[in-house]
Amino acid sequence: MRILHTSDWHIGRTFFGEDVSAQLREALLALVAAAREHEVDAVVVAGDVFDSTMPSAAAFDFLTDILVALHETGARVVLTSGNHDSASRLRFQSRWARASGIHVIADPESAFGAIELRDEHGPVRVYGVPYLEPALIRHVEGAPASRTQEAAMRWAADLARADLDASGSPRSLLIAHCFAAGVPASADAQDIERDLTAGGLDVVPVEVFDGFDYVALGHIHGRATLRDRVRYSGSPLHYSFSEAGSPRGAWLVELDAHGFAGAEWLPLPVPRPLVRLRDSLRALLEAPDYEAVREHWVAATLTDERRPVDAMSRLRTRFPRAVHVEHAPAERRGREHGGYAATLAKAPTDAERIERFLEHTRNGQGPTEAERRILEEALDEYAAQEASR
């Protein structure tokens, strides 16, 4: 049996306020093409289908288009809710969808009845675990009173293992959306919105997932292999500059008669790559070396001694997809030992303190002659006003 593992689509998300739906559609249609090419039996989506708990009508239409396209490949689809999803909205019309082989699992109260897939070797039990917010599942019979993700996920995995043991099925798959222990730095997990409590209690130990042939995880946006049978697929798009250059794709998982037989990474296209640029504004606008990234998403660090005026609009004359700019001069001058406060303390007059302030904020450049004359006039007027009180 061949299973395609993907997650974190974040339909409806923007990138620095820019619409990325066209890029996401291109990436997901490539996923559909991969499902068809590799004759995939099932596609699993491990949470964060939408980016918002209040997805727009356009976001629902987008999801419908992709699910219909996946269904037309002949694959069954199993998707679960993530922390960004509204469980009630995601599972809307799920009963109708199930009749066509599209399984939406978003309700903790009915999440642990297995979906059964079959191939020439027999059944595969698929357990979809929706995002389990501990505070929202305490009313569910048997749910833990603990406030931790570890307790909630252990409870769900135990229920799935009990059902698996009772079924006698030799093969199984678990789908979950959580932050599991052991995520490597290369997975670019630092930007994940997760509510880690004191001591890291919301990190789920990887041994919680023991006993399943494959565990398809979602929540972090970079691919990661925690164990051979426990993996994150990451998001199909880059949603942060910290993710720039990291691969985008899905895992093609193979189950043979005995269980897990391997996983192959299938890359997806990156319709608009991300790039960080660091140079003076003039060089960014004129140097031929930057022509190759004209249509990328651009985050620029400007090294000019003084902060350029209207930098973003000028950058966009060459890089129309520039979305972030910051000023970090190449050299820091005019900063005496002891810091800014010590520098001010050595300036005995108001005029000198203003000059030190300008040097501090302008990378060592004090007032121009015209600015010096204006300051002198302003200080003289202030002194006259004080003297007349």
Side-chain angles (χ1 to χ4, degrees):
M1 180 174 292
R2 290 179 174 177
I3 298 166
L4 199 57
H5 166 201
T6 178
S7 74
D8 294 270
W9 291 358
H10 287 281
I11 298 170
R13 185 163 182 161
T14 60
F15 185 68
F16 287 84
E18 300 283 341
D19 182 19
V20 295
S21 58
Q23 288 79 41
L24 181 58
R25 183 178 293 272
E26 182 177 340
L28 292 181
L29 288 179
L31 184 79
V32 172
R36 182 178 294 107
E37 176 187 352
H38 293 277
E39 299 180 339
V40 165
D41 298 288
V43 177
V44 300
V45 188
D48 280 356
V49 178
F50 293 118
D51 188 61
S52 167
T53 58
M54 297 285 287
S56 65
F60 273 103
D61 289 342
F62 185 109
L63 176 61
T64 299
D65 290 345
I66 300 303
L67 292 180
V68 168
L70 286 171
H71 177 262
E72 289 174 348
T73 69
R76 292 175 71 178
V77 181
V78 184
L79 57 87
T80 63
S81 60
N83 58 301
H84 277 252
D85 297 308
S86 162
S88 59
R89 287 178 173 83
L90 184 60
R91 68 175 181 258
F92 175 65
Q93 295 185 339
S94 60
R95 292 183 181 179
W96 297 351
R98 191 184 312 135
S100 61
I102 298 172
H103 303 269
V104 181
I105 303 172
D107 182 1
E109 295 191 46
S110 58
F112 309 112
I115 297 164
E116 188 169 279
L117 306 178
R118 301 189 71 89
D119 62 8
E120 66 273 20
H121 303 299
V124 174
R125 304 283 282 184
V126 178
Y127 300 94
V129 180
Y131 179 70
L132 298 176
E133 176 58 50
L136 298 180
I137 63 170
R138 288 182 200 143
H139 69 283
V140 179
E141 184 179 355
S146 171
R147 296 176 179 269
T148 70
Q149 277 282 303
E150 176 185 351
M153 189 57 65
R154 193 178 296 278
W155 167 67
D158 285 345
L159 288 174
R161 278 187 287 262
D163 179 85
L164 181 62
D165 290 343
S167 73
S169 175
R171 300 181 297 168
S172 61
L173 171 73
L174 182 79
I175 310 165
H177 191 89
C178 65
F179 189 82
V183 175
S186 60
D188 301 306
Q190 62 266 34
D191 285 344
I192 292 302
E193 307 99 327
R194 61 183 188 273
D195 182 21
L196 288 179
T197 56
L201 294 178
D202 275 359
V203 176
V204 178
V206 71
E207 58 267 21
V208 167
F209 306 114
D210 288 350
F212 302 99
D213 287 294
Y214 184 76
V215 178
L217 295 178
H219 192 40
I220 69 169
H221 290 178
R223 71 176 183 186
T225 301
L226 308 187
R227 291 181 178 175
D228 208 25
R229 303 181 182 209
V230 182
R231 300 173 186 244
Y232 284 98
S233 66
S235 173
L237 285 189
H238 295 116
Y239 287 120
S240 165
F241 278 101
S242 68
E243 303 167 18
S246 60
R248 288 296 177 255
W251 290 111
L252 179 62
V253 180
E254 188 92 23
L255 299 181
D256 62 16
H258 306 289
F260 180 75
E264 175 188 356
W265 179 251
L266 299 182
L268 292 176
V270 179
R272 194 181 301 282
L274 281 64
V275 64
R276 287 182 169 130
L277 303 179
R278 184 184 182 90
D279 213 330
S280 68
L281 179 59
R282 180 175 181 177
L284 290 174
L285 294 177
E286 298 178 3
D289 291 348
Y290 296 122
E291 188 63 25
V293 297
R294 176 187 284 271
E295 295 298 326
H296 288 33
W297 296 115
V298 171
T301 300
L302 305 181
T303 59
D304 305 74
E305 289 186 356
R306 295 191 179 189
R307 184 184 298 274
V309 176
D310 208 13
M312 179 61 85
S313 62
R314 293 165 69 185
L315 269 175
R316 285 187 169 179
T317 62
R318 187 177 195 187
F319 307 103
R321 301 298 179 178
V323 292
H324 179 73
V325 63
E326 61 185 46
H327 182 227
E331 296 180 3
R332 295 282 179 180
R333 300 195 304 272
R335 306 292 178 89
E336 297 182 24
H337 181 70
Y340 177 53
T343 300
L344 281 185
K346 295 177 184 178
T349 67
D350 288 340
E352 291 184 10
R353 280 190 284 273
I354 292 172
E355 188 167 335
R356 298 293 88 77
F357 168 76
L358 292 174
E359 290 174 351
H360 178 78
T361 58
R362 292 176 170 180
N363 191 36
Q365 300 295 316
T368 64
E369 285 304 314
E371 290 170 336
R372 198 183 301 277
R373 287 194 298 271
I374 294 171
L375 287 170
E376 288 174 355
E377 292 174 3
L379 290 171
D380 288 344
E381 182 179 345
Y382 174 75
Q385 289 175 351
E386 288 295 299
S388 65
R389 286 185 176 184

